[in-house]
Amino acid sequence: MGNIKISKGGFDTRLELEYAGVRAGFPSPADDYIHDTLDFNRDYIRHPEASFYGAVEGDSMKDAGIYDGDKVIIDRAVEPHNGSIIVAFWNGEFTMKYLDLTHRSEGYIELKPANPDYPTFQVKAGDNFEVWGVVIHLIRTFENI
């Protein structure tokens, strides 16, 4: 199904890095004068008390650019909408899928993978289901050092 492991982050700790813009063209002489910082908490975490990391397991969301081993930041305070990538607690486990609300009037919603090798799931009234949070950011490691 494509599971996700959830862990609480230390979002109260400031992480400041020197900003380095990456350009695909010619460098600008003004680049030498950029002295901004990146604060992970300020720039990426809107609701620290409701934010969590998720470790992605599986490839059910690969066509959305989310791969096995990636990390996602999940915000439980964000209201999901049709098309949101959500983390749901369903059938006793966490899963990450697109939320499809277009069938609400028919009595169900759908959890859609971003990989045609996986099925779309129908969630009906009475199912043990909860939208646990909304995926708001993706973290990918390209090289382990």
Side-chain angles (χ1 to χ4, degrees), residues 113-130:
N115 181 339
D117 294 337
Y118 290 84
T120 295
F121 297 106
Q122 286 187 0
V123 179
K124 298 177 182 170
D127 284 356
N128 183 14
F129 172 79
E130 175 188 0

Side-chain angles (χ1 to χ4, degrees), residues 1-3 56-69 96-97 113-118:
M1 178 185 290
N3 294 334
V56 178
E57 297 178 341
D59 63 352
S60 71
M61 296 300 290
K62 72 177 184 82
D63 291 347
I66 303 172
Y67 299 100
D68 185 69
M96 182 174 41
K97 301 284 183 276
N115 181 339
D117 294 337
Y118 290 84

Side-chain angles (χ1 to χ4, degrees), residues 5-73:
K5 290 183 180 178
I6 308 297
S7 59
K8 184 68 178 159
F11 295 112
D12 57 338
T13 303
R14 295 273 181 215
L15 174 64
E16 295 189 16
L17 301 172
E18 184 72 23
Y19 173 78
V22 179
R23 300 194 188 275
F26 294 103
S28 166
D31 288 347
D32 293 338
Y33 299 99
I34 296 175
H35 295 289
D36 199 2
T37 59
L38 172 68
D39 184 326
F40 190 81
N41 299 295
R42 178 195 68 215
D43 298 337
Y44 296 102
I45 306 299
R46 286 184 280 167
H47 308 105
E49 67 288 344
S51 295
F52 294 82
Y53 292 108
V56 178
E57 297 178 341
D59 63 352
S60 71
M61 296 300 290
K62 72 177 184 82
D63 291 347
I66 303 172
Y67 299 100
D68 185 69
D70 285 348
K71 305 276 188 296
V72 291
I73 299 174

